[in-house]
Amino acid sequence: MTLNIILLGPPGAGKGTQASRLEDECGMIQLSTGDMLRAAVKADTPIGVQAKAVMDAGELVSDEIVSGLIGERLDALGGTTSVIFDGYPRTAAQADALDGILAARGRKLDHVIELVVEEDALVDRITGRFSCAKCGEGYHDRYKLPKVADVCDVCGSTEFKRRPDDNEETVRTRMAEYRAKTAPILPIYEARGIVSQVDGMAPIDQVNGAIESILDSSAG
Ligand code: ADP
Ligand code: AMP
């Protein structure tokens, strides 16, 4: 059965962490517009050049750019691959575009999983975030350190990196963007009866268990 799910929540809620677990444990594929944009910035593509300053400021890149990236990425996947949208949609226009993108490919949204978190915890989560420079595995200075100090659990690399936008000032702008533009799309999905809430303040394993139970409930 092919699933199409959205992980929704403010920056630092744990979307990327959980998407990566679902990739490993359920064979789903994570579609993160943030990761796609960071790759475009690194490769210095026209989209990357356009997006960089916007991302550094913590503001939102244009709806057309991110929806274009999602459509292209879906086309590169097989039609039966289950996908997790992480960091997309972030505006009502993107939610609308996603409906069209999915319908055109014979897909439909199965679940919107809202990671419910306390805003006060997010600055701490984001300023402590780092990742493996080689494989991208995500870590945290206090909540998820590598098992062996300074060695990536997944690939053994000793190089790590931090995101330029993971500083307190930018985080505040990103949270304000979430409140103003992204949180208001939840009612669209609530009206369709596809929203489930998960306590994002629980430990990582527990959040993962809660999400997989929701997905299992639609597997039968
Ligand atoms: P998002 O993709 O929603 O921006 P991340 O998955 O990157 O968020 O998580 C932000 C930071 O918080 C990471 O450093 C991650 O290791 C840590 N983190 C994620 N989930 C939890 C959790 N349930 N408890 C504590 N820390 C967490
Ligand atoms: P993220 O990795 O999801 O935290 O996204 C990092 C940054 O990329 C955001 O602060 C935005 O500048 C940009 N971005 C990622 N996804 C989107 C999106 N769906 N719409 C607009 N901008 C986005």
Side-chain angles (χ1 to χ4, degrees):
M1 179 175 154
T2 306
L3 284 176
N4 298 276
I5 72 166
I6 295 174
L7 287 182
L8 199 79
K15 303 179 296 293
T17 303
Q18 296 302 328
S20 160
R21 290 284 294 262
L22 294 173
E23 284 200 323
D24 294 345
E25 293 166 19
C26 307
M28 300 177 78
I29 293 291
Q30 171 193 23
L31 298 181
S32 156
T33 41
D35 285 350
M36 293 172 203
L37 290 167
R38 278 184 289 279
V41 169
K42 197 170 169 200
D44 218 16
T45 67
I47 284 180
V49 170
Q50 209 179 322
K52 188 177 183 326
V54 180
M55 293 171 77
D56 285 345
E59 290 161 8
L60 293 187
V61 172
S62 82
D63 293 330
E64 291 70 24
I65 287 181
V66 291
S67 294
L69 288 171
I70 285 286
E72 277 170 26
R73 198 55 66 93
L74 271 178
D75 285 338
L77 292 176
T80 57
T81 309
S82 292
V83 296
I84 310 149
F85 296 100
D86 161 6
Y88 177 91
R90 261 174 153 100
T91 63
Q94 291 177 26
D96 194 42
L98 179 60
D99 284 341
I101 287 168
L102 291 175
R105 291 159 180 81
R107 291 175 177 263
K108 71 160 189 39
L109 266 182
D110 298 289
H111 297 281
V112 175
I113 298 180
E114 182 191 3
L115 295 176
V116 182
V117 283
E118 288 156 23
E119 213 178 290
D120 289 349
L122 298 177
V123 170
D124 181 45
R125 286 238 188 131
I126 288 181
T127 51
R129 168 161 66 185
F130 62 100
S131 63
C132 172
K134 195 169 164 214
C135 74
E137 180 70 3
Y139 295 98
H140 191 278
D141 290 327
R142 283 175 300 287
Y143 311 126
K144 191 191 162 198
L145 279 164
K147 292 189 179 87
V148 175
D150 303 324
V151 180
C152 176
D153 297 348
V154 175
C155 75
S157 166
T158 53
E159 300 285 322
F160 295 90
K161 60 181 182 187
R162 289 181 192 261
R163 282 169 47 174
D165 59 343
D166 277 353
N167 58 74
E168 186 161 349
E169 192 195 337
T170 308
V171 169
R172 301 259 174 227
T173 308
R174 284 154 65 196
M175 282 183 200
E177 290 282 68
Y178 179 83
R179 267 196 305 273
K181 297 173 185 162
T182 308
I185 69 180
L186 263 166
I188 301 172
Y189 297 124
E190 276 160 357
R192 296 184 201 170
I194 56 170
V195 177
S196 305
Q197 292 191 326
V198 166
D199 175 14
M201 296 308 295
I204 292 173
D205 284 346
Q206 217 168 296
V207 179
N208 170 247
I211 294 174
E212 289 188 10
S213 315
I214 292 164
L215 302 188
D216 285 347
S217 72
S218 60

